[in-house]
């Protein structure tokens, strides 16, 4: 059964293939680097004599790995593309090319794919780390860490996609472990960078960011008015300002509990950003803010910069707390000590209460000199205690019923 089915399938496939012909693949592949970032890949292709004139042949190409959407078509025998080593951390730009029929022409199928191996002029090597540029009036201030400081570094850049000369760094500087320079590029966002040492080279798009927004805080009665100037780039963009603050936070909380911060977002299209927070005059406020583009503009953001502090924690609350705990504590300790003192030295402070009967007797005897014999403490009469007990028993009738 199975073999019969297989035979049928094979026959059907053979019949189809007889009718269908495969287009020949591109041949004589070659490439040329037009500049540090751009490669021109070209090939030859011989049109089969039996291919109908009406058949419109194009070439499909893409860089591996690619999704279907990233595949492009060209009617020419070459393509020019940007290929950056850091996009795939490799010095080879692996393309796939095949001939394809742009219009259906009966039976002809795509050619077998071919892979021209395109290698960068200089092998890839990680020469810089943490490359980042911050927008600054009319250009970008870029900084990085050199992987091997003993190697001389050649850095050049260009706006991506512009067939222009590469530019070198302006105003090179070194600070701590970092070094940097200034790129005069205007507001263009995509900057292609080439960093090379004797060890190798890297080509990449510069990661861009903004300086944290400058926050001004002003007191207006019961509230604090916050404002930030609009970002210098992306005037047509919708921006999100995210700000976080602590209120009355003690030093310990400030440094150890980021959750103690309250955060809010304000979205605006150009102009000065404004926000208000209720103000307690006895509190210290600390603010952090950052800015980021909304979804419709190229992704651009700043970090949360250094904080802005307003007001001080007036220690009234603290003194009240101290008073509420310490003062009663001191008082109770004093009372306890006093009680202890009284007990110990009661014979000095309150001399022994004399027995009135002794005084009376001495008075009767005409002795005017009052004597307070030590150790003669007043004791209630036994009969008096008994009568008291009786009264107590009688006065509690509930228990007897
Ligand atoms: C790329 O190479 C092809 C074939 O050599 C050539 O015709 C074409 O002009 C080149 N493209 C550029 C932009 O140099
Ligand atoms: C290029 O990519 C193809 C498809 O992923 C793969 O078969 C081929 O080995 C790769 N060639 C090189 C030189 O990496
Ligand atoms: C770029 O930033 C560095 C470090 O923050 C600074 O010293 C330098 O002046 C800046 N350069 C320009 C051109 O703004
Ligand atoms: C740096 O660039 C200069 C001028 O373009 C070149 O002469 C030199 O060989 C380059 N050095 C390295 C290490 O790439
Ligand atoms: C503000 O917006 C950013 C970006 O959409 C988001 O990541 C963040 O969580 C938001 N913060 C607040 C407090 O809503
Ligand atoms: C990071 C990345 O995209 N890596 C890819 C580089 O290319 C090879 C094949 O050419 C892929 O397997 C990697 O995933």
């Amino acid at each position: 059964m199975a073999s019969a089915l297989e035979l049928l399938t094979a026959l059907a496939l053979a019949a189809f293939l007889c009718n269908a012909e495969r287009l020949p693949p591109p041949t004589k592949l070659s490439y040329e680097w037009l500049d540090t970032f751009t490669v021109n890949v070209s090939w030859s292709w011989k049109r089969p004599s039996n291919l109908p004139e009406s058949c419109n042949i194009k070439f499909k190409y893409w860089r591996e790995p690619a999704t279907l959407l990233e595949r492009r078509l060209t009617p020419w025998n070459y393509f020019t593309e940007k290929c950056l080593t850091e996009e795939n951390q490799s010095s080879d730009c692996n393309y796939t090319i095949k001939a394809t029929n742009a219009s259906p022409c009966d039976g002809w199928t795509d050619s077998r794919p071919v892979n021209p191996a395109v290698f960068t002029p200089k092998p890839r090597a990680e020469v810089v780390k943490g490359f980042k540029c911050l927008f600054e009036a009319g250009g970008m201030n870029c900084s990085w860490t050199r992987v091997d400081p003993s190697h001389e570094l050649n850095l050049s850049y260009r706006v991506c996609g512009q067939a222009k000369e590469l530019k070198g760094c302006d105003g090179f500087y070194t600070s701590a472990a970092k070094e940097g320079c200034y790129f005069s590029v205007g507001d263009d966002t995509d900057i292609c960078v080439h960093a090379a040492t004797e060890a190798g080279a890297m080509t990449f798009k510069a990661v861009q960011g903004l300086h944290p927004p400058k926050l001004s805080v002003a007191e207006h009665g019961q509230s604090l008015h916050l404002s930030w100037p609009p970002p210098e780039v992306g005037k047509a963009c919708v921006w999100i300002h995210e700000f976080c603050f602590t209120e009355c936070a003690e030093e310990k909380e400030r440094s150890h509990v980021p959750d103690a911060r309250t955060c809010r977002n304000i979205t605006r299209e150009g102009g000065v950003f404004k926000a208000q927070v209720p103000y307690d005059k006895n509190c210290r406020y600390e603010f952090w803010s950052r800015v980021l583009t909304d979804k419709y503009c190229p992704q651009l953001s700043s970090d949360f910069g250094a904080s802005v502090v307003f007001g001080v924690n007036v220690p009234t609350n603290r003194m009240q707390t101290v008073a509420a705990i310490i003062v009663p504590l001191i008082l109770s300790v004093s009372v306890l000590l006093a009680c202890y003192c009284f007990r110990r030295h009661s014979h000095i402070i309150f001399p022994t209460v004399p027995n009135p009967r002794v005084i009376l007797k001495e008075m009767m005897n005409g002795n005017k000199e009052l004597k307070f014999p030590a150790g003669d403490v007043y004791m209630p009469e036994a009969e008096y205690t008994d009568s008291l007990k009786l009264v107590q028993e009688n006065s509690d009738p509930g228990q007897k019923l």
Side-chain angles (χ1 to χ4, degrees):
M1 273 297 274
S3 58
L5 198 67
E6 269 167 27
L7 195 70
L8 271 176
T9 317
L11 278 172
L13 194 66
F16 174 76
L17 284 176
C18 267
N19 204 16
E21 265 189 281
R22 211 168 193 192
L23 292 167
T27 55
K28 295 185 193 144
L29 300 142
S30 69
Y31 66 89
E32 178 196 6
W33 286 93
L34 300 180
D35 64 43
T36 328
F37 312 113
T38 324
V39 66
N40 186 16
V41 178
S42 55
W43 57 87
S44 332
W45 189 73
K46 200 166 173 293
R47 196 182 170 95
S49 53
N50 58 338
L51 183 69
E53 274 305 307
S54 61
C55 272
N56 179 11
I57 301 301
K58 285 190 178 171
F59 299 93
K60 197 178 262 179
Y61 67 93
W62 62 91
R63 184 180 174 187
E64 300 285 358
T67 63
L68 284 177
L69 281 176
E70 287 163 341
R71 300 182 176 193
R72 295 196 180 85
L73 276 177
T74 176
W76 318 114
N77 285 21
Y78 66 89
F79 64 81
T80 303
E81 276 230 324
K82 177 165 82 312
C83 180
L84 306 175
T85 62
E86 300 316 295
E87 273 171 5
N88 196 309
Q89 276 123 58
S90 99
S91 24
D92 98 78
C93 304
N94 187 356
Y95 291 105
T96 298
I97 310 162
K98 62 182 184 179
T100 185
N101 42 1
S103 58
C105 36
D106 45 30
W108 291 85
T109 59
D110 288 1
S111 78
R112 151 180 84 75
V114 288
N115 295 109
V118 175
F119 292 94
T120 53
K122 213 167 180 173
R124 176 187 178 265
E126 196 180 37
V127 297
V128 292
K129 275 201 283 210
F131 196 99
K132 189 168 184 182
C133 298
L134 292 177
F135 274 100
E136 245 164 48
M140 287 196 282
N141 195 347
C142 305
S143 64
W144 60 86
T145 312
R146 214 188 288 191
V147 172
D148 187 345
S150 68
H151 286 164
E152 194 197 323
L153 177 71
N154 262 13
L155 202 88
S156 46
Y157 69 95
R158 193 191 68 190
V159 172
C160 292
Q162 280 183 5
K164 275 190 187 163
E165 287 276 291
L166 282 160
K167 285 199 253 183
C169 263
D170 288 335
F172 181 84
Y173 64 86
T174 318
S175 66
K178 285 208 155 193
E179 49 191 39
C181 71
Y182 189 77
F183 290 180
S184 341
V185 284
D187 284 358
D188 282 305
T189 44
D190 278 357
I191 307 299
C192 281
V193 181
H194 177 240
T197 69
E198 60 199 61
M202 289 170 99
T203 48
F204 53 91
K205 267 191 201 169
V207 175
Q208 294 161 3
L210 295 169
H211 280 290
K214 282 203 171 61
L215 166 65
S216 311
V217 185
E219 183 185 340
H220 279 259
Q222 300 294 302
S223 51
L224 289 179
H225 287 198
L226 316 177
S227 63
W228 298 263
E232 283 182 7
V233 292
K235 301 275 185 229
C237 288
V238 175
W239 293 93
I240 298 170
H241 271 234
E242 184 174 16
F243 72 96
C244 298
F245 65 98
T246 58
E247 186 182 24
C248 294
E250 295 299 333
E251 195 129 22
K252 225 164 52 187
E253 274 179 283
R254 290 204 292 270
S255 49
H256 300 295
V257 193
D259 300 344
R261 296 177 187 182
T262 310
C263 294
R264 272 194 232 155
N265 272 353
I266 38 176
T267 305
R268 248 206 91 126
E269 194 177 336
V272 174
F273 283 78
K274 286 179 181 148
Q276 287 187 22
V277 292
Y279 180 44
D280 176 345
K281 287 185 169 55
N282 294 331
C283 279
R284 177 191 193 270
Y285 288 78
E286 189 164 5
F287 297 94
W288 294 263
S289 46
R290 67 167 179 153
V291 66
L292 45 148
T293 44
D294 205 0
K295 56 194 168 209
Y296 304 113
C297 269
Q299 220 178 356
L300 207 57
S301 64
S302 79
D303 293 332
F304 281 105
S307 63
V308 172
V309 173
F310 195 91
V312 284
N313 278 344
V314 176
T316 48
N317 292 345
R318 206 169 162 185
M319 285 309 280
Q320 274 165 13
T321 317
V322 165
I325 297 166
I326 305 292
V327 171
L329 201 72
I330 290 174
L331 270 176
S332 1
V333 169
S334 315
V335 166
L336 273 172
L337 278 173
C339 286
Y340 179 74
C341 258
F342 279 154
R343 266 184 75 98
R344 247 192 116 176
H345 306 288
S346 53
H347 61 283
I348 300 168
I349 299 163
F350 295 116
T352 335
V353 179
N355 192 329
R357 258 194 282 177
V358 178
I359 302 169
L360 214 71
K361 209 169 140 194
E362 278 179 354
M363 275 167 80
M364 296 291 211
N365 295 347
N367 192 345
K368 296 231 155 85
E369 202 191 305
L370 293 178
K371 271 190 196 161
F372 300 113
D376 197 356
V377 178
Y378 169 78
M379 291 292 287
E381 297 282 330
E383 357 156 3
Y384 177 71
T385 341
D386 283 347
S387 64
L388 198 82
K389 248 192 221 159
L390 252 161
V391 169
Q392 269 183 341
E393 269 168 20
N394 289 348
S395 69
D396 194 3
Q399 259 183 1
K400 289 205 169 127
L401 284 169

